[in-house]
């Protein structure tokens, strides 16, 4: 358990970010120079860093920080009042029960529970479900309730991103694909429709977002076009929760000023 002020920022400044990122990956090792006087290759020691970790910090971990995708984020509500500090004797029974549980299952094999959701969230939740399978049924139900909340938060956060707005436009103009191509200029125009000039998105920024989404582009007849591959596009639409019912709700696209102006302007 680590309780650190501005955790991610301080870890990056101290060159320790890889230690935190490595906690997620079993078998990962992090090199550290511990004896410079021994010369190259002999001055380095490799440390295993994987393990369950609780990170407590006062500031939000940025969405683009790779550490964010390796965490199950739980926002603790502020509660004002006077609380008693627990002593070691107060927690004796709880600790004894945890040690007994560990001893009972230390050499056993955890139940095999399938990943509840795809992606990294499924990787994070799966071990918790394996342990919960040894506990009363309500513990598994609590974890699935948490998954629902996390998925809702993720969908709401992605809905505000430039990537989601681009994919939503792609979804709404599928009928305008000609010969497996769609002009990038059309997407840029729709993004900027009704948006003040100082907040408009540059075509280069749209291109960068398309590349990050894995959408192929090619310059033909002096214009940049998307290479439309229906199977790949359907996977992209599924990722952002777009379906036929969604199409009825988003036509026409409602323009809006980006929340993060500096990230929307190239």
């Amino acid at each position: 358990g680590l309780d650190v002020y501005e955790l991610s920022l301080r870890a990056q400044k101290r060159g320790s970010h890889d230690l935190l990122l490595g906690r997620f990956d079993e078998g990962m090792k992090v090199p550290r120079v511990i004896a410079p006087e021994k010369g190259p290759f002999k001055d380095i020691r490799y440390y295993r860093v994987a393990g369950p970790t609780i990170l407590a910090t006062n500031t939000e971990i940025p969405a683009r920080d790779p550490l964010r995708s390796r965490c199950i984020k739980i926002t603790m509500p502020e509660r004002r009042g006077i609380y008693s500090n627990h002593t070691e004797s107060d927690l004796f029974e709880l600790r004894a029960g945890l040690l007994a549980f560990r001893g009972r299952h230390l050499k056993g094999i955890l139940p095999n529970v399938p990943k509840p959701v795809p992606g990294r969230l499924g990787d994070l939740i799966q071990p918790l479900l394996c342990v919960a399978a040894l506990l009363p049924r309500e513990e598994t139900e609590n974890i699935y309730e948490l998954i629902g909340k996390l998925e809702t938060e993720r969908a709401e956060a992605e809905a505000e991103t430039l990537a989601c707005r681009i994919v939503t436009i792609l979804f709404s103009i599928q009928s305008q694909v000609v010969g497996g191509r769609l002009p990038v200029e059309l997407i840029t125009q729709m993004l900027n429709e009704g948006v003040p000039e100082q907040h408009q998105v540059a075509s280069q920024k749209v291109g960068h977002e398309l590349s990050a989404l894995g959408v192929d582009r090619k310059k033909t007849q002096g214009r940049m076009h998307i290479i439309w591959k229906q199977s790949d596009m359907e996977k992209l639409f599924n990722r952002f929760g777009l379906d036929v019912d969604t199409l009825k709700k988003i036509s026409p696209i409602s323009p809006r000023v980006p929340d993060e102006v500096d990230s929307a302007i190239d």
Side-chain angles (χ1 to χ4, degrees):
L2 299 174
D3 186 356
V4 182
Y5 179 77
E6 293 186 343
L7 174 70
S8 185
L9 179 62
R10 293 183 67 180
Q12 291 183 52
K13 286 184 176 180
R14 297 191 176 203
S16 302
H17 208 228
D18 54 343
L19 290 173
L20 296 180
L21 296 178
R23 299 290 291 174
F24 175 78
D25 296 319
E26 182 67 36
M28 182 176 178
K29 296 181 180 180
V30 171
R32 286 292 182 265
V33 176
I34 60 171
E37 68 279 0
K38 293 185 178 181
F41 304 109
K42 297 180 180 180
D43 56 350
I44 298 177
R45 183 174 177 180
Y46 292 85
Y47 294 89
R48 296 187 183 92
V49 294
T53 312
I54 298 174
L55 305 175
T57 184
N58 64 309
T59 56
E60 185 86 4
I61 297 176
R64 293 185 178 272
D65 191 325
L67 181 60
R68 178 71 170 267
S69 66
R70 290 164 167 80
C71 296
I72 299 173
K73 189 190 80 166
I74 299 176
T75 302
M76 302 296 290
E78 182 179 359
R79 298 190 62 181
R80 297 187 178 274
I82 300 176
Y83 303 98
S84 300
N85 292 326
H86 290 293
T87 63
E88 185 174 351
S89 59
D90 294 332
L91 300 174
F92 179 80
E93 288 189 9
L94 174 62
R95 184 181 181 190
L98 291 172
L99 286 172
F101 179 86
R102 182 179 183 227
R104 187 179 302 116
H105 300 286
L106 186 61
K107 294 185 179 181
I109 299 176
L110 287 174
N112 185 18
V113 179
K115 285 177 61 172
V117 288
R120 184 158 282 171
L121 178 59
D123 294 336
L124 291 167
I125 294 288
Q126 186 182 26
L128 300 181
L129 285 173
C130 292
V131 175
L134 302 173
L135 302 170
R137 175 64 186 175
E138 55 264 29
E139 301 304 334
T140 296
E141 294 172 353
N142 289 336
I143 293 178
Y144 273 101
E145 183 180 347
L146 174 63
I147 293 172
K149 291 179 180 179
L150 293 173
E151 285 285 86
T152 300
E153 290 177 2
R154 181 192 62 81
E156 290 175 350
E158 281 198 335
E160 297 296 322
T161 64
L162 178 59
C164 183
R165 292 162 58 206
I166 290 174
V167 173
T168 302
I169 289 174
L170 290 174
F171 186 76
S172 67
I173 58 175
Q174 298 178 65
S175 59
Q176 300 188 41
V177 176
V178 178
R181 284 173 170 74
L182 186 72
V184 175
E185 180 183 359
L186 176 60
I187 302 169
T188 306
Q189 289 175 355
M190 296 187 69
L191 276 171
N192 293 327
E193 184 179 348
V195 178
E197 184 176 354
Q198 66 270 27
H199 295 157
Q200 291 188 1
V201 183
S203 58
Q204 292 90 343
K205 180 67 175 178
V206 176
H208 294 159
E209 288 291 335
L210 288 169
S211 296
L213 289 167
V215 179
D216 294 332
R217 296 174 296 141
K218 185 176 182 181
K219 197 168 187 178
T220 56
Q221 298 178 345
R223 301 172 68 190
M224 190 65 73
H225 288 77
I226 288 174
I227 306 301
W228 192 278
K229 299 177 182 177
Q230 190 62 33
S231 59
D232 292 343
M233 288 299 177
E234 288 178 357
K235 292 178 182 177
L236 199 58
F237 298 152
N238 289 334
R239 171 186 162 187
F240 287 89
L242 300 174
D243 51 28
V244 176
D245 292 332
T246 307
L247 184 58
K248 298 176 183 177
K249 301 175 184 178
I250 63 176
S251 185
I253 300 292
S254 299
R256 70 175 190 82
V257 178
D259 293 329
E260 298 181 6
V261 175
D262 56 346
S263 66
I265 301 177
D266 191 347

